[in-house]
């Protein structure tokens, strides 16, 4: 379903899809081995405001469910763009994803005969702040700051079987929880000095952190990054 009002230049959309069982050959990390993904449903709703206005807003909510294993993935994304005159623009976006009862790869033995999966809750938040300034129609600056945080809290462990199913493993005792942060800053000057010829100068800075101690609060996590 899609609705667009051309007079006011805004729109909303609603999407729904159904996916049957699939053989996932990527999650196992071993050629020839696969994991059977249960059937799932996907629904999303999005809308955007008039792009001719100085302030433009876009928002989208989506939900994926796998009833067989109680897996639910909720995702919220929104973006704000603000034009200040004809040369300066600011933008901000946030993407928040929360998964419960996700099942995925965590480890394997050295001979790759035993592949371990985990049932886990995953939270991911990404914030991006940016701005751009145009000197003219051939040159300008772009500044982008991004913080990405993802944590996985494992609850139960399994062994992947030859037929793609999972069997409980109550003996696996490794800590495979994960708390990952990435903070990036990019400043780029772009100059098109001739048709088909471009010069880009970039300054980049980044910090990363990864540990197996999960922090549930976004602000506590950011304070430690």
């Amino acid at each position: 379903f899609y609705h667009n009002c051309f007079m006011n230049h805004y729109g909303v959309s609603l999407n729904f899809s159904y996916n049957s069982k699939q053989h996932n050959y990527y999650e196992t990390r071993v050629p020839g081995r696969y994991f059977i993904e249960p059937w799932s449903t996907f629904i999303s709703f999005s809308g955007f405001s008039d792009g001719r206005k100085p302030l433009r807003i876009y928002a989208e909510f989506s939900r994926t469910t796998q009833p067989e294993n109680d897996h639910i993935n909720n995702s919220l994304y929104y973006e704000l763009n603000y034009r200040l005159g004809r040369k300066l623009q600011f933008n901000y976006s946030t993407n928040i994803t929360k998964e419960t009862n996700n099942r995925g790869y965590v480890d394997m033995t050295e001979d790759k005969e035993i592949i371990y999966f985990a049932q886990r809750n995953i939270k991911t938040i990404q914030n991006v702040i940016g701005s751009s300034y145009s000197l003219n129609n051939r040159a300008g600056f772009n500044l982008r700051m991004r913080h990405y945080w993802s944590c996985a809290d494992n609850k139960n462990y399994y062994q992947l079987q030859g037929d793609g199913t999972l069997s409980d493993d109550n003996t696996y005792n490794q800590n495979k929880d994960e708390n990952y942060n990435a903070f990036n800053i990019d400043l780029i000057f772009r100059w098109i000095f001739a048709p088909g010829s471009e010069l880009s100068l970039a300054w980049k800075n980044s910090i990363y952190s990864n540990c197996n101690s999960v922090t549930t609060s976004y602000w506590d996590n950011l304070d430690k990054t």
Side-chain angles (χ1 to χ4, degrees), residues 74-92:
N74 291 320
S75 179
L76 174 64
Y77 174 82
Y78 62 88
E79 181 178 349
L80 306 175
N81 286 277
Y82 181 71
R83 295 194 311 271
L84 187 61
R86 302 184 63 180
K87 293 187 175 183
L88 185 60
Q89 179 173 291
F90 299 94
N91 57 76
Y92 169 73

Side-chain angles (χ1 to χ4, degrees), residues 117-217:
F117 272 54
Q119 175 187 336
R120 58 210 178 183
N121 296 334
I122 300 176
K123 181 190 294 183
T124 302
I125 299 177
Q126 177 177 260
N127 285 295
V128 179
I129 301 174
S131 65
S132 61
Y133 182 79
S134 299
L135 298 174
N136 50 50
N137 60 354
R138 295 184 300 170
F141 291 91
N142 284 282
L143 175 64
R144 181 175 183 266
M145 295 180 289
R146 167 183 175 265
H147 176 231
Y148 175 90
W149 171 48
S150 184
C151 62
D153 185 11
N154 297 306
K155 303 298 183 181
N156 300 298
Y157 292 98
Y158 308 91
Q159 288 189 20
L160 179 67
Q161 304 301 299
D163 61 356
T165 60
L166 301 177
S167 63
D168 293 333
D169 188 325
N170 299 320
T171 62
Y172 187 83
N173 57 7
Q174 300 295 318
N175 184 1
K176 291 298 180 177
D177 293 346
E178 190 168 9
N179 196 85
Y180 175 79
N181 283 275
F183 190 86
N184 311 87
I185 301 177
D186 302 318
L187 177 62
I188 300 174
F189 170 72
R190 180 171 177 260
W191 175 35
I192 304 175
F193 57 88
S197 300
E198 176 183 318
L199 173 67
S200 293
L201 300 176
W203 176 84
K204 295 175 177 286
N205 196 7
S206 60
I207 56 175
Y208 302 95
S209 68
N210 192 14
C211 64
N212 56 13
S213 178
V214 174
T215 302
T216 58
S217 169

